[in-house]
């Protein structure tokens, strides 16, 4: 049985029909067409699917789409400016914090939530803020450097 | 299949009365269903918007923590951090920021995993669960609530609305320590919580110890209070370590053998007693203890 609901994503309302068991990630990608959010482990472990729900990071692979009704969803597409790069994206590029890039949208969403709540985090606070995001390429040191750089540029 | 978002507690209780299951953050329910542990219930009622259950309030006798309070709230709340520190230690260890933001205390308690992190702290702090249904309310001791892995004595139409904690005695402290192989996104290999009250001469006046991930439910070390009373913290910790290993009935699995769990739960119990006693003596040890003094995984 599908249910018609309206999801608010990046400030826009999208009417969608969803099954009860459908996760938010698949609705974002296949119904709404926002494919920046990635599916990694599909088990809330890796953080590739991270989106913000009312400004807080949430693993969209393991969140029911129906439960997001009435909340504000922000995806990587909602963080990027119309042209150019967001400060977090620029720092990741400049520090070499991006290799294959698959984890990058999730890393950016967690960083965004971290810096919104705490504009000058300590290194330990950054490690904790990104502890739900796995990266298999960079070894994390460059990602950490990029977040430190974003915070100090602010 | 049906899904409703409850706008009020009465609406939620009415839905439960006709067979719906509650979903709070969904971090156990949805993840478990997707892993194939248990199918998603056919009828769900979302309780995450019940703001009346999302507060921590001071009461005449102790505090009340609403079932929808998240781990993120618990780990920084001043009343919890200063008075009920073991619970803050546990909340700060749960998953990652995203798990802590939507994962609730009510969900952790009612999911009844033997490895749940808030369970042992709640037990040593003397918590009771408040259950409510359309037909009435009742108060349940945690030792009566958890009946087995993933099982509680709550009726299907009962919602956990709050956890109540009694006031803390003077010169008391508490701590929760967990053995972990990595510093985030971990499930306790074993864990131990201790609550300790000190006499003026620095000996222990009383206390309690409870263990996670070494039995089908969270268990209390029944004689811990008697073993500690009258002793200095070092001697008390050593006695508790032996008693904890003795009462543990752990399983062997991919993550650890029963022998290893039995040994390490004693080590964790001793460290929890030590940290609780130091806090009781007024020492500031940050939350979580695991990070502050490196008793879990180190960098
Ligand atoms: C990646 C990841 C890491 C995790 N790490 C940890 C960890 O380190 N430590 C730990 O202890 N847990 C951990 N968990 C488990 C989980 O996040 C917690 O148990 C959390 O507190 C569950 O809360 P919830 O609101 O998401 O529960 P839900 O999934 O919504 O509910 C869990 C169960 O309880 C029932 N329920 C929920 N609320 C109530 C209520 N008020 N009354 C009656 N029944 C209710 C539901 O019907 C369901 O059966 C982790 C989970 C994930 C996905």
């Amino acid at each position: 049985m599908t249910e018609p609901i309206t999801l608010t994503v990046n400030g826009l309302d999208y009417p969608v029909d969803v099954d009860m068991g459908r996760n938010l990630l698949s609705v974002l990608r296949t119904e709404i067409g926002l494919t920046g959010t990635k599916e990694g482990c599909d088990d809330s472990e890796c953080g590739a699917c991270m989106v913000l729900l009312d400004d807080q990071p949430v693993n969209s692979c393991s969140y029911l789409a129906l439960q997001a009704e009435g909340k504000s969803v922000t995806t990587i597409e909602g963080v990027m400016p119309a042209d150019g790069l967001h400060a977090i994206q620029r720092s990741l590029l400049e520090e070499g914090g991006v290799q294959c890039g698959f984890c990058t949208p999730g890393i950016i969403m967690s960083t965004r939530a971290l810096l919104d709540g705490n504009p000058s985090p300590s290194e330990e606070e950054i490690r904790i803020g990104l502890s739900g995001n796995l990266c298999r390429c960079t070894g994390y040191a460059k990602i950490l450097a990029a977040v430190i750089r974003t915070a100090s540029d602010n | 299949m049906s899904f409703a978002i409850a706008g009020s507690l009465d609406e939620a209780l009415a839905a439960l009365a006709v067979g719906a299951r509650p979903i709070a953050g969904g971090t156990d329910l949805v993840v478990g269903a997707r892993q194939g542990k248990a199918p998603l219930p056919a009828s769900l009622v979302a309780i995450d918007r019940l703001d009346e259950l999302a507060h921590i309030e001071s009461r005449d006798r102790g505090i009340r923590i609403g079932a929808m309070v998240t781990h993120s709230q618990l780990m920084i709340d001043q009343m919890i951090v200063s008075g009920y520190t073991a619970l803050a230690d546990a909340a700060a260890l749960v998953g990652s920021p995203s798990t802590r933001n939507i994962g609730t205390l009510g969900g952790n308690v009612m999911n009844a995993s033997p490895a749940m992190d808030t369970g042992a702290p709640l037990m040593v702090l003397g918590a009771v669960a408040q259950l409510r249904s359309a037909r009435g309310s009742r108060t349940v001791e945690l030792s009566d609530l958890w009946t087995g892995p993933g099982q509680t004595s709550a009726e299907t139409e009962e919602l956990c609305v709050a956890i109540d904690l009694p006031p803390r005695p003077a010169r008391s402290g508490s701590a929760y320590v967990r053995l972990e192989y990595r510093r985030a996104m971990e499930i306790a290999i074993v864990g131990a919580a201790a609550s300790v009250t000190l006499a003026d001469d620095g000996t222990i006046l009383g206390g309690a110890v409870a263990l996670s991930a070494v039995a089908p439910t969270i268990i209390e070390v029944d004689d811990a209070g008697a073993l500690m009373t009258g002793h200095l913290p070092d001697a008390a910790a050593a006695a508790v370590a032996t008693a904890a290993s003795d009462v543990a009935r752990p399983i062997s699995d991919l993550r650890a053998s029963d022998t290893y769990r039995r040994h390490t739960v004693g080590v964790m119990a001793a460290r929890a007693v030590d940290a609780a006693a130091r806090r009781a003596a007024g020492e500031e040890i940050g939350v979580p203890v695991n990070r502050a003094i490196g008793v879990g995984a180190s960098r």
Side-chain angles (χ1 to χ4, degrees):
Chain A
M1 198 195 81
T2 64
E3 206 162 313
I5 58 165
T6 300
L7 287 181
T8 307
V9 185
N10 303 329
L12 296 176
D13 285 346
Y14 295 90
V16 284
D17 288 328
V18 294
D19 284 336
M20 187 163 99
R22 190 85 179 271
N23 59 2
L24 177 59
L25 174 65
S26 88
V27 173
L28 290 171
R29 289 180 55 88
T30 56
E31 306 298 326
I32 301 181
L34 294 171
T35 54
T37 308
K38 302 304 181 199
E39 177 178 316
C41 67
D42 196 19
D43 197 26
S44 331
E45 294 281 337
C46 79
C49 66
M50 204 70 79
V51 300
L52 305 186
L53 204 61
D54 291 341
D55 301 322
Q56 296 298 326
V58 164
N59 294 90
S60 63
C61 74
S62 306
Y63 197 82
L64 296 182
L66 287 175
Q67 209 173 348
E69 187 171 30
K71 302 194 180 194
S72 142
V73 181
T74 309
T75 68
I76 184 68
E77 290 87 350
V79 169
M80 287 191 303
D83 48 19
L85 296 173
H86 189 276
I88 305 168
Q89 295 174 306
R90 199 174 327 108
S91 307
L92 279 166
L93 274 181
E94 287 168 358
E95 294 288 343
V98 177
Q99 286 185 32
C100 87
F102 200 77
C103 73
T104 310
I107 300 266
I108 292 172
M109 299 317 285
S110 289
T111 304
R112 160 80 186 266
L114 170 72
L115 296 181
D116 280 354
N118 178 2
S120 26
S122 65
E123 185 183 318
E124 177 69 7
E125 287 168 336
I126 297 172
R127 286 177 184 273
I128 292 171
L130 292 181
S131 60
N133 295 84
L134 295 182
C135 170
R136 301 286 79 167
C137 307
T138 63
Y140 302 103
K142 294 173 174 183
I143 294 175
L144 189 63
V147 179
I148 292 171
R149 181 173 183 147
T150 315
S152 57
D153 284 355
N154 270 345
Chain B
M1 300 286 252
S2 77
F3 185 93
I5 294 174
S8 69
L9 183 54
D10 286 343
E11 253 175 66
L13 296 179
L16 294 193
V18 294
R21 300 303 307 138
I23 178 168
T27 59
D28 275 315
L29 195 71
V30 179
V31 173
R34 295 180 64 76
Q35 289 174 340
K37 275 187 201 152
L40 212 55
S43 173
L44 281 175
V45 58
I47 53 174
D48 61 313
R49 283 163 233 206
L50 300 180
D51 288 339
E52 65 261 52
L53 304 186
H55 303 291
I56 303 172
E57 55 193 40
S58 151
R59 315 176 74 223
D60 289 350
R61 299 214 30 83
I63 63 165
R64 169 162 289 185
I65 309 175
M68 288 307 103
V69 167
T70 62
H71 299 290
S72 295
Q73 280 173 275
L74 285 174
M75 65 187 268
I76 59 166
D77 181 85
Q78 262 326 301
M79 273 191 295
I80 305 291
V81 170
S82 62
Y84 303 86
T85 325
L87 184 57
D89 286 331
L93 292 178
V94 170
S96 71
S98 57
T99 328
R100 296 193 285 271
N101 282 331
I102 57 167
T104 61
L105 182 63
N108 199 232
V109 168
M110 298 307 285
N111 193 60
S113 160
M116 64 185 289
D117 283 312
T118 66
L122 290 175
M123 219 164 204
V124 300
L125 294 167
V128 293
Q130 295 296 343
L131 302 184
R132 192 171 311 172
S133 73
R135 292 185 292 151
S137 305
R138 64 185 177 119
T139 304
V140 182
E141 299 280 335
L142 295 179
S143 53
D144 296 328
L145 182 69
W146 296 314
T147 52
Q151 275 159 9
T152 71
S153 59
E155 303 292 335
T156 49
E157 79 257 40
E158 282 181 319
L159 195 68
C160 171
V161 289
I163 300 292
D164 286 346
L165 291 160
R168 297 292 289 153
R171 278 175 72 79
S172 65
S174 65
Y176 174 70
V177 176
R178 124 183 146 176
L179 180 65
E180 48 191 11
Y181 296 148
R182 51 181 185 165
R183 297 188 59 189
M185 310 299 282
E186 181 62 302
I187 302 172
I189 314 301
V190 296
S195 168
V196 163
T197 304
L198 293 179
D200 288 338
D201 64 0
T203 59
I204 292 178
L205 209 54
V209 173
L211 313 174
S212 11
V214 292
T217 62
I218 304 295
I219 52 169
E220 190 155 357
V221 181
D222 284 332
D223 48 357
L227 283 173
M228 293 192 289
T229 302
H231 294 285
L232 287 168
D234 277 357
V240 162
T242 310
S245 292
D246 283 349
V247 295
R249 287 170 283 138
I251 55 165
S252 286
D253 63 10
L254 198 60
R255 302 168 65 248
S257 70
D258 53 353
T259 316
Y260 182 71
R261 282 198 167 98
R262 186 182 289 280
H263 173 72
T264 51
V265 81
V267 179
M268 294 304 126
R271 290 177 183 175
V273 169
D274 172 65
R278 284 161 61 185
R279 280 175 170 159
E283 186 177 333
E284 290 283 334
I285 305 175
V287 166
V289 174
N290 267 44
R291 301 290 164 269
I293 53 179
V295 290
S298 55
R299 270 258 178 85

